[in-house]
Amino acid sequence: MNLLSLFKPITTFVLDVDGVLTDGTVHLLATGEQTRGMNTKDGYALGLAVKLGYRIVIISGGRSEGVLLRLRSLGITDIYLGCTQKKQQLQDYAIENNLQWSEMLYMGDDIPDYWPMQLTGLPTCPADAVAEVKSIAKYVSPINGGHGCVRDVIEKVLKLNGHWMQEDNIASK
């Protein structure tokens, strides 16, 4: 089976935050606040996917008001932060939205993503994911977490479905 054929039916992107949308680094400020950085190329692809009607689902164990605000600014509404049961959350979401596993891509990078990734038709991970996650991923992006790996998988789906590089498809970063 051609690997790209697994990307074409994707309608739903399920993503972790730390190590996928960020590089996993947490900056500690003197106030105790923790900050993270996100890639604008990922942001562009996420915003475009939302605009085109794709589902973006964020399931993360972390909690951050900054992350929540950033994701909402991109038009993402299905955001589950502080989630300790990622597999159950994903199962509930799939049932509530009448989704088939074959139309779902999951990108995770660490052990908490291992079990929910296996439910989806296309488990993926960044280049710097842990070995256990890489071992079950059907696609390992050549790009590290927080540096455009999300753009990599979204771009593949959009290109395969004729949704990339259309003049009227402009999204903000």
Side-chain angles (χ1 to χ4, degrees), residues 11 45 61 133 171:
T11 63
V133 167

Side-chain angles (χ1 to χ4, degrees), residues 17-18 22-38 63-67:
V17 174
D18 292 320
T22 77
D23 68 5
T25 301
V26 176
H27 299 277
L28 305 173
L29 304 180
T31 61
E33 184 180 359
Q34 299 178 6
T35 65
R36 297 159 175 85
M38 291 187 176
R63 291 181 189 267
S64 166
E65 188 65 25
V67 168

Side-chain angles (χ1 to χ4, degrees), residues 89-106:
Q89 180 61 60
L90 181 57
Q91 289 172 319
D92 293 346
Y93 184 86
I95 291 167
E96 290 166 13
N97 292 279
N98 198 30
L99 296 172
Q100 302 297 313
W101 296 118
S102 61
E103 64 186 311
M104 299 175 79
L105 175 151
Y106 190 113

Side-chain angles (χ1 to χ4, degrees), residues 118-136:
Q118 294 180 70
L119 297 174
T120 65
L122 187 50
T124 67
C125 67
D128 58 347
V130 299
E132 294 86 351
V133 167
K134 284 183 175 180
S135 75
I136 61 163

Side-chain angles (χ1 to χ4, degrees), residues 14-74:
V14 183
L15 308 168
D16 180 31
V17 174
D18 292 320
V20 173
L21 285 168
T22 77
D23 68 5
T25 301
V26 176
H27 299 277
L28 305 173
L29 304 180
T31 61
E33 184 180 359
Q34 299 178 6
T35 65
R36 297 159 175 85
M38 291 187 176
N39 188 288
T40 58
K41 289 178 180 65
D42 285 343
Y44 175 78
L46 287 163
L48 180 58
V50 167
K51 181 180 177 190
L52 292 169
Y54 289 87
R55 291 178 188 271
I56 307 292
V57 183
I58 306 299
I59 303 177
S60 176
R63 291 181 189 267
S64 166
E65 188 65 25
V67 168
L68 182 62
L69 292 172
R70 170 66 175 153
L71 296 172
R72 285 186 179 158
S73 77
L74 296 171

